[in-house]
Structure formats: structure tokens, C-alpha cells
Amino acid sequence: MWFLSKKGASGFSANSTAEEVTQGIDSSALTAIVTGASSGIGAETARVLALRGVHVIMGVRNISAGKQVKEAIIRDVPQAKIDAMELDLSSLASVRNFASTYNSFGLPLNLLINNAGIMATPFTLSKDKIELQFSTNHVGHFLLTNLLLETMKRTATHSRKEGRIVNVSSRRHKFSYHEGIRFDKINDQLGYNGLSAYGQSKLANVLHASELARRLKEGGVEITANSLHPGAIATDLFRQHSIISGIVNILGKHVMKNVQQGAATTCYVALHPDVKGVSGKYYSDCNIAETSPQAKDTELAKKLWDFTMSLVD
């Protein structure tokens, strides 16, 4: 349980909040994109980054909800530099439009927080005919990252500040299908399991960050890529399961992290100076943690990269 956890090497634990792990960090020279920032840990991540001086662009599917969160953050942090832009990660066209629009602004980009996600949905295909969880949680973020990478590279060069890409994964990556990534069965309804498909998409998040980190290092680029498990948090990710959602609503505050604690690892990996130069790692409770054996498979990571490229071409 999170409330029994001890502090790790970072000095933080599962009890730590996003504000605590970024205390005293001035990030006023940075610009960040946070996907899925209209609720849950995405909204809290956006708030705390703004509190630390970051210019935050919220990538949100529901622009109305995003604007409400933006207004709430400004009320809490009057000096906040924050904007909301429409972004539907399940639609490749929406991802391309978002990236094109952002790049046209000429803004720098230091931090890319790939946070948005859905969990354990019934079998559904996206607009691009890709299984919805894999499409939203992995493919959309993969394409977004690729389309924004040149902007991040230019920013890192001109600002002489390290860029950071953060993939919000889950401990559930350890519970994917037995083959890890079902390359030949991504869209196969037969044998589909909502939680296993979620695990598959979260495994893809870890593999994506690892392979991206390898490529960035190989290219001598001053950008890191890491993934993380935010912890078990009482958010609307459970909305697809009424029974689980009911239990979470009743017991969540006693056995799960709150949103402030849930956003801590994301904010730590994005801003903390102790993470400088660290790339290709997986974090939990603001400390480097162990992944599944499949998540360490470099050949699987390369295969996933090539497979995903074929989906977005």
C-alpha cells in the first residue's frame, strides 16, 4: 500500500505530492505540452508545472473541459502561463493537425508529457481502424512525439537546456498478453481482453520510451525519454467498469493515491535536476523501478517502432 511506502534514493516516496517533489525548482524558461490535461493527473501535472513557471500547453480532447481547467489553474496560480489546444490522440488526423498548428506558432518545446490514456474499454476500433486503447495510449503519442521532435531538437540546441519526453505508462505493463505486443492481432476482436489490451498499450509506452532514448543517444541529441508508473489513483480511468468505479469511489481515498500524489512522478521526471541526463528508464514513486522482462527486450522495442511507423505512414 502507498501509505506504507518508504522514501527511495530520490528522497521521495509514494506519499510525496507533485508540489513537494518540485519545491524550489524554477522552470520559468521552459515550455511543455501535457496531453490529457483536462482531468486527473494530467490536470494536476499542468497545474504544478505552471506553478513552477513552465508555459504549459494542454492537449485536450474536450476543448470546453480544457478551458475550464485552464481557468481553474489561473485562479489557483494567477501568474500561470497556460493554453489549451484540441487534441484527440485516437485520431491520427487530429494529432497531425495539433502538431502542425503548434509548430506553426514558432514556440519552443522543452517538455513533452505523453499522459493521456483510456483504460479497459470494450473492443472498439479508432477512426483509423486501430484497436482503441493501442491507438490512443500508444500510436497517437508515438506520432505526436515524432512530429514534435524537430521542434524539441531545435529548442534543446538554442536554449542549451535538455529536453525531456515523459511517457506515462503503468505497472499494468507487466500484465499484457503473453506475447507482449500482438502485432498480428492488434485489431482481432477474438481473444480481446480489455485489461490485457490496456497492459499491451502500457507496455508499448515503456518500449517506445526505451527505443526513443536509444535513438536520441545514438544521434547525440540532448533530449531524454523515460516512462513511469504514476501509481494506483482514484481517477475516471475506471469509468468503463461500474462495479470497480463504485469500489474506487468508496475505498479509493483509503487505499489509492490522491491526484496530487499521482502526478508526483510525472512532475519529478519532467523537472527535477536529479533526472538530468537520465534516459531510457522507468520510474515509480519518483524512483527508478524494475520493468517486466518484455519491457527490457530491445528487439521487441525495435519491432514495435517499425510496426508503429507502418501504422502512421
Side-chain angles (χ1 to χ4, degrees), residues 89 91-96 99 138-149 208 308-309 311-313:
L89 271 302
S91 165
L92 298 182
S94 177
V95 173
R96 289 192 174 95
H138 168 61
V139 179
H141 281 126
F142 178 93
L143 177 60
L144 180 68
T145 303
N146 279 7
L147 294 175
L148 294 172
L149 202 51
H208 173 219
T308 312
M309 283 296 295
L311 293 178
V312 301
D313 275 350

Side-chain angles (χ1 to χ4, degrees), residues 169-197:
S169 179
S170 167
R171 186 178 70 88
R172 188 76 203 184
H173 84 270
K174 299 178 180 181
F175 303 95
S176 179
Y177 295 106
H178 70 88
E179 63 265 58
I181 307 295
R182 306 176 87 197
F183 294 106
D184 57 344
K185 298 180 181 178
I186 288 294
N187 296 336
D188 190 353
Q189 187 170 1
L190 186 65
Y192 175 83
N193 177 282
L195 283 173
S196 296

